[in-house]
Amino acid sequence: MISIKDLSKVFSPNGKNSIQAVNGLSLDINKGEIFGVIGYSGAGKSTFIRLLNRLEDPTDGQVIIDGENITALRKNELRLARQEIGMIFQHFNLLWSRTVRDNIAFPLEIAGVPKQKRMERVDELIGLVGLTGREDAYPSELSGGQKQRVGIARALANNPKVLLCDEATSALDPETTNSILQLLVDINEKLGLTIILITHEMHVIRKICHRVAVMEAGMVVEQGDVLEVFLHPKTEVTKKFVEQIMGDTEQEDALHLLANQFTTGKVVRLHFVGEVTNQALISKLSKQFDVEVNILHGKITQTQKGAYGSLFVHMDGKKDEISNVIRYITSTSVEVEEIDHA
């Protein structure tokens, strides 16, 4: 659906000192998926998303959407191509002198859609994003979540193939963020729309994305299925993002110190994936093996590809019996990580 090849963007604000915002970035994004791009401030992610619809022109590279090379289009061709690429913004970018209905209708006016068809489409979108009854309200009369729903409806007005979301929930409170993310999931499922979502918040990636790319210094340093990236982060920046969801390093340090207090047995961390998270594994171990199992700490979270989590336990018993327990756990597809004593 979307193929990005060696995309680069260099800014030269004073003609001398250049800034490499995006550096040789390549990605392939599948039709109908929600693809997340995450990075800290300055990673180049917002510049990257603006290159996809040429709000910024690339210094080098190609962006091919549904077989069309966006980077090679002339001005009039680009104007038409942009009708198939919707975009929503962090701060909504609404027209404050227009009502909800007129904001949503604006791109249809520009496209020359007749008034009757325009109003029919607007009414359809108002229902889709849950704004029925607020058609005649102005942006100043709306909550943050309602403003973003207007932004989403406006972005969908021309039936785009792709929806670009630039930090679409960063200005919203947690509850409103969840409702907007669920709306994006519903739109993705109902319309089969390809969504590219830029964020610096890992819980946003966890909640709705199928795959993710991690950006740092203008480059993609890691990418893959969300569940795989959460389970096996390879780079330091990815590990920091995963810690946002799975707990802080101070807690893990405390657990390692706790492990040193046990003079017998072994402390292990169990990694659960998918349906295994719902199985009564600890209960089975206590019944089938002559060991005592004490739960020290645990956390389970959910992604679009399934649940995963970690559990710290202390097992006490004979050495051979503990080894049998670890072999049994491994056979159930649960990963076992032994916690070293200092």
Side-chain angles (χ1 to χ4, degrees):
M1 173 62 178
I2 301 174
S3 181
I4 301 155
K5 300 178 180 179
D6 298 320
L7 194 63
S8 295
K9 177 64 178 181
V10 177
F11 292 101
S12 299
N14 56 14
K16 294 180 180 180
N17 299 322
S18 61
I19 301 169
Q20 182 93 46
V22 176
N23 187 3
L25 190 152
S26 296
L27 281 176
D28 289 309
I29 298 169
N30 301 322
K31 180 178 175 60
E33 77 174 334
I34 303 177
F35 191 96
V37 179
I38 191 167
Y40 289 112
S41 179
K45 57 189 186 298
S46 289
T47 300
F48 161 68
I49 203 169
R50 290 170 65 85
L51 291 171
L52 296 186
N53 60 1
R54 280 185 57 191
L55 288 178
E56 294 284 354
D57 284 326
T59 304
D60 201 1
Q62 293 183 332
V63 176
I64 300 171
I65 299 179
D66 203 19
E68 185 171 45
N69 186 354
I70 300 298
T71 46
L73 297 180
R74 297 178 180 177
K75 188 174 181 179
N76 289 337
E77 296 170 329
L78 179 60
R79 181 175 57 81
L80 293 174
R82 279 181 178 153
Q83 293 180 9
E84 298 185 333
I85 308 171
M87 188 165 185
I88 58 177
F89 304 87
Q90 178 180 1
H91 297 295
F92 322 125
N93 286 16
L94 302 182
L95 299 170
W96 296 90
S97 62
R98 285 177 169 244
T99 64
V100 166
R101 184 186 296 278
D102 291 339
N103 262 282
I104 299 171
F106 186 61
L108 297 171
E109 293 176 27
I110 295 174
V113 176
K115 185 174 181 179
Q116 183 175 348
K117 288 187 177 180
R118 198 162 68 225
M119 290 302 101
E120 289 174 358
R121 177 62 176 159
V122 169
D123 288 340
E124 179 185 347
L125 289 166
I126 285 172
L128 178 67
V129 301
L131 286 174
T132 302
R134 303 296 285 159
E135 299 92 332
D136 298 320
Y138 287 89
S140 61
E141 302 173 304
L142 303 177
S143 67
Q146 289 172 331
K147 290 172 189 174
Q148 195 56 283
R149 287 173 185 269
V150 177
I152 292 171
R154 181 184 59 187
L156 297 176
N158 283 310
N159 291 300
K161 297 176 181 177
V162 179
L163 181 62
L164 308 179
C165 306
D166 187 8
E167 298 279 10
T169 59
S170 295
L172 305 176
D173 62 74
E175 184 176 350
T176 306
T177 291
N178 287 334
S179 69
I180 293 298
L181 293 178
Q182 187 56 55
L183 175 60
L184 291 174
V185 170
D186 292 343
I187 289 169
N188 169 256
E189 293 175 350
K190 290 176 182 177
L191 306 181
L193 192 64
T194 304
I195 298 176
I196 302 175
L197 189 139
I198 300 293
T199 184
H200 65 275
E201 300 170 301
M202 199 61 169
H203 74 90
V204 172
I205 299 293
R206 172 192 66 80
K207 193 169 183 67
I208 72 169
C209 294
H210 304 112
R211 291 195 298 139
V212 62
V214 183
M215 283 189 70
E216 187 176 28
M219 297 179 286
V220 170
V221 296
E222 190 165 351
Q223 63 175 299
D225 288 345
V226 169
L227 187 55
E228 178 61 26
V229 169
F230 267 67
L231 285 171
H232 305 291
K234 296 180 177 63
T235 65
E236 286 303 313
V237 65
T238 308
K239 290 175 183 177
K240 288 180 181 178
F241 279 122
V242 172
E243 285 170 7
Q244 292 180 6
I245 302 298
M246 293 308 293
D248 57 50
T249 53
E250 289 184 4
Q251 189 176 60
E252 293 219 3
D253 290 342
L255 288 165
H256 280 77
L257 289 172
L258 182 61
N260 292 329
Q261 297 177 13
F262 293 107
T263 57
T264 61
K266 185 168 291 188
V267 175
V268 299
R269 175 161 51 183
L270 309 180
H271 295 278
F272 298 82
V273 184
E275 295 181 359
V276 180
T277 55
N278 298 320
Q279 296 177 7
L281 178 63
I282 302 301
S283 176
K284 289 180 181 179
L285 297 180
S286 299
K287 293 176 181 178
Q288 295 182 26
F289 298 92
D290 186 19
V291 294
E292 290 185 3
V293 182
N294 300 308
I295 297 174
L296 306 179
H297 173 74
K299 188 168 185 178
I300 294 176
T301 192
Q302 189 74 31
T303 74
Q304 283 287 81
K305 291 293 183 72
Y308 80 99
S310 63
L311 189 68
F312 283 85
V313 299
H314 173 244
M315 296 185 294
D316 201 6
K318 293 182 178 180
K319 187 174 181 179
D320 289 346
E321 192 72 349
I322 291 174
S323 297
N324 291 335
V325 171
I326 292 175
R327 279 194 293 271
Y328 173 78
I329 295 172
T330 304
S331 72
T332 67
S333 78
V334 174
E335 295 182 15
V336 181
E337 176 188 352
E338 297 187 22
I339 305 300
D340 295 329
H341 292 68

